[in-house]
Amino acid sequence: MDCNQKAHNGAAEQIMNIPAVISKALDSYSDNDSVETPCSVDRHAVDPSQIIQLVLMSDDLGRAQVIFPGHCMLLIDELNRSMGRSLTTVKQADVEQLLTQYAVSALPAIPDITGLPSIIDESLFNISSQYIYLDAGDPELLVQVPTALFSKSLVKAQKAKFTEDVSNINCNATPEAEDQEKIVRAIEKFTSLRIKQRIEDTLEIPPLPQSAQDIIKLRANPEADSDELSNIVERDPSLSAQVVSWASSSFYNTPGNVKSVHDAIIRVLGFDLVMNLAMGLSLGKTLNVPKHEPDGYLPYWQNALWMALGTTALISKIEPAYRPSFGMAYLSGLLHNFGQLVLAHIFPPHYELICRYREANPHLDASIIEHHCLGITGEQIGSQLMSVWALPDQVVTAIRQQKDGSYGSINCEYSKLLFLTRQLLAKKGIMPHVASQPYQEILDFFRLSDEKANEALGALFNSQDEVKEMASMMQPA
């Protein structure tokens, strides 16, 4: 692969300034002038098996750099068993201190940079490719390094076998019709819950708030009007306060005070948005946000809001003939990660383990880790519950298929929209990096240019403070 190649999908050429600490470390391994110098390449064009990951971990014996291939999952139990240690991921705040110290955006997987002892997965001692690639924190670019040079950096490191190839983990690969059976098997295996006749009883989910039940009924009524919606929302004081606060936020820059839910509907947000916002907030109140969120990841409501606003920002750039419903897209984005709440509710100790695995494997999608730990994913269990609660089929499909960019059956426009939004947010550094997927195919599906898609999310990205403020209003009182 040529260095400094043009970025993904024909965008303008981008060249990363290789951090000085990387260049200095690699220079120390070079013993002649013929060795190629490191350079930057497009992240999306690199095989994940050639990307080298580093995770900083620690225990009572001190810190260690754990280095392994990007197409693998770091198995924490295997690592500790092999090394006779009790390593856990270093807190994000401590990692940030090191990033500042070495003037990098991410710690590159070169053992000698920090001076900390390194533990290397044994597969890295048998690399056959000409180059390996390091993550230096740019969402779009990686540092290309000759494998011969990288191999010299491994000489002093300890080695062990502590990874699993993610190609062996086929998450969300079975038909949707089999999801309920897989959920029941996981519950039987990992909990003491009694399997009951109805899936919602088996999951032991608290009953839907009356406001959510009323909004579901209202949605089915084509004659529904603003007064009816206002009455439903205003019967729930906390929900009413959230909607009014939302409409009053600086994001909408509304002149004058928003004095009531009816005012929020008529003057600021509109019927459709308030209905879907109230629905999402009501469903969110059924379960508590997990206490063991992965360190360094966006809080639940920020994550939900970025996806909701991201999908609707994209819709504004799609021609009407190919444009999904604004309301269905917004609700799908707002509920896209509801399955995380369900997993945390049903499998508390296992969810804590999932969080620790996500911290140790930030390069992997959460669904891969969930499947490895439980045999089911948040998408599977979240979509099943949405179906039980009689939410629209568009939302159920969007949640279930959001990680599959190639899904092409009924209502696929909503799952593709979530997929595309996640990709673009990852490019902006808001979401974790995601593996290369059919990005251009989805742009083509919506007859959308890469330039317009990035323009839509760019405008939203410029309002980060407002988005955080709005997310803070969504947390149930």
Side-chain angles (χ1 to χ4, degrees):
M1 183 182 298
D2 293 333
C3 280
N4 304 327
Q5 64 178 221
K6 289 186 177 181
H8 198 48
N9 295 325
E13 184 177 275
Q14 301 179 59
I15 299 176
M16 181 196 301
N17 292 320
I18 308 299
V21 68
I22 296 180
S23 299
K24 182 179 179 180
L26 293 174
D27 283 346
S28 69
Y29 306 130
S30 177
D31 52 13
N32 61 67
D33 296 332
S34 64
V35 177
E36 297 177 55
T37 57
C39 59
S40 58
V41 299
D42 178 9
R43 175 185 294 272
H44 300 274
V46 175
D47 187 322
S49 66
Q50 295 176 271
I51 302 174
I52 311 301
Q53 299 291 332
L54 179 146
V55 175
L56 200 61
M57 305 187 79
S58 68
D59 61 7
D60 291 342
L61 297 178
R63 291 181 176 178
Q65 301 172 118
V66 181
I67 299 175
F68 58 102
H71 66 297
C72 292
M73 179 189 297
L74 189 164
L75 305 177
I76 299 173
D77 292 342
E78 287 296 321
L79 171 66
N80 285 324
R81 189 178 299 114
S82 297
M83 304 306 299
R85 299 187 64 172
S86 303
L87 293 163
T88 59
T89 310
V90 170
K91 294 296 182 183
Q92 186 65 24
D94 295 331
V95 174
E96 294 291 342
Q97 290 180 356
L98 282 176
L99 297 181
T100 301
Q101 178 181 344
Y102 293 104
V104 291
S105 300
L107 286 175
I110 302 175
D112 287 347
I113 283 184
T114 65
L116 294 171
S118 297
I119 305 171
I120 312 292
D121 188 70
E122 62 183 28
S123 63
L124 292 181
F125 290 86
N126 301 298
I127 301 173
S128 59
S129 57
Q130 183 179 0
Y131 300 105
I132 58 91
Y133 299 87
L134 306 178
D135 188 347
D138 190 304
E140 291 293 293
L141 301 172
L142 295 167
V143 179
Q144 176 177 291
V145 176
T147 300
L149 203 57
F150 174 72
S151 296
K152 291 181 179 180
S153 73
L154 307 182
V155 173
K156 300 177 184 177
Q158 294 178 283
K159 68 176 181 178
K161 173 62 178 153
F162 53 83
T163 62
E164 180 175 357
D165 191 322
V166 296
S167 64
N168 298 327
I169 305 172
N170 297 314
C171 63
N172 292 336
T174 53
E176 291 179 56
E178 298 178 15
D179 283 354
Q180 183 164 329
E181 180 184 347
K182 291 177 70 87
I183 292 168
V184 167
R185 285 206 303 267
I187 289 171
E188 288 178 321
K189 183 175 181 180
F190 295 107
T191 79
S192 59
L193 297 176
R194 184 169 61 88
I195 306 302
K196 302 174 185 176
Q197 187 173 3
R198 300 193 313 167
I199 187 68
E200 64 267 43
D201 292 337
T202 292
L203 299 178
E204 295 195 349
I205 300 295
L208 276 180
Q210 189 61 49
S211 55
Q213 296 180 45
D214 291 341
I215 293 171
I216 290 173
K217 292 176 184 175
L218 187 68
R219 176 183 290 282
N221 178 11
E223 305 297 325
D225 60 27
S226 300
D227 289 337
E228 291 176 277
L229 178 57
S230 295
N231 290 336
I232 292 172
V233 175
E234 287 171 348
R235 285 199 294 268
D236 184 330
S238 65
L239 182 58
S240 178
Q242 285 175 296
V243 170
V244 171
S245 297
W246 183 278
S248 303
S249 73
S250 57
F251 186 84
Y252 291 102
N253 197 26
T254 305
N257 294 327
V258 179
K259 299 178 180 179
S260 66
V261 174
H262 191 271
D263 197 19
I265 296 172
I266 299 300
R267 197 157 63 88
V268 186
L269 303 176
F271 179 88
D272 208 27
L273 180 54
V274 170
M275 181 165 62
N276 290 304
L277 172 61
M279 171 74 76
L281 291 171
S282 294
L283 294 183
K285 290 167 66 175
T286 61
L287 299 171
N288 294 323
V289 172
K291 296 179 181 178
H292 302 289
E293 282 292 331
D295 188 37
Y297 283 71
L298 285 179
Y300 174 84
W301 283 113
Q302 273 195 49
N303 188 308
L305 186 55
W306 274 112
M307 287 293 285
L309 294 176
T311 58
T312 50
L314 281 175
I315 284 176
S316 69
K317 300 293 183 179
I318 299 173
E319 295 177 9
Y322 308 104
R323 186 181 294 166
S325 159
F326 175 95
M328 290 298 99
Y330 184 90
L331 187 56
S332 297
L334 199 58
L335 296 174
H336 84 279
N337 56 344
F338 191 81
Q340 301 299 315
L341 300 187
V342 184
L343 288 178
H345 177 80
I346 302 169
F347 307 99
H350 300 90
Y351 187 76
E352 185 175 358
L353 176 64
I354 287 171
C355 291
R356 302 295 78 80
Y357 264 67
R358 287 175 66 186
E359 291 166 355
N361 294 278
H363 62 299
L364 296 183
D365 190 89
S367 57
I368 295 174
I369 294 168
E370 290 158 6
H371 184 93
H372 170 79
C373 293
L374 293 174
I376 57 172
T377 68
E379 292 78 50
Q380 288 174 302
I381 203 164
S383 62
Q384 279 287 303
L385 202 52
M386 295 300 133
S387 180
V388 166
W389 285 344
L391 264 71
D393 291 342
Q394 296 95 321
V395 176
V396 174
T397 298
I399 292 173
R400 176 61 173 80
Q401 303 296 345
Q402 62 182 289
K403 304 289 181 65
D404 183 1
S406 62
Y407 179 75
S409 192
I410 187 169
N411 295 321
C412 68
E413 62 268 32
Y414 295 97
S415 61
K416 288 181 184 295
L417 190 62
L418 288 187
F419 183 95
L420 180 59
T421 302
R422 187 188 304 276
Q423 292 270 355
L424 290 164
L425 289 173
K427 289 173 68 175
K428 296 292 185 182
I430 294 172
M431 296 286 191
H433 300 314
V434 287
S436 296
Q437 289 273 355
Y439 176 85
Q440 186 59 48
E441 292 177 21
I442 297 180
L443 289 174
D444 293 343
F445 177 86
F446 289 116
R447 311 299 197 273
L448 189 64
S449 69
D450 185 54
E451 181 181 8
K452 283 190 175 181
N454 281 286
E455 180 184 322
L457 270 293
L460 182 60
F461 184 68
N462 291 334
S463 303
Q464 285 193 68
D465 291 341
E466 289 86 350
V467 173
K468 290 177 183 177
E469 176 195 353
M470 293 165 73
S472 68
M473 301 174 191
M474 301 175 78
Q475 182 68 39

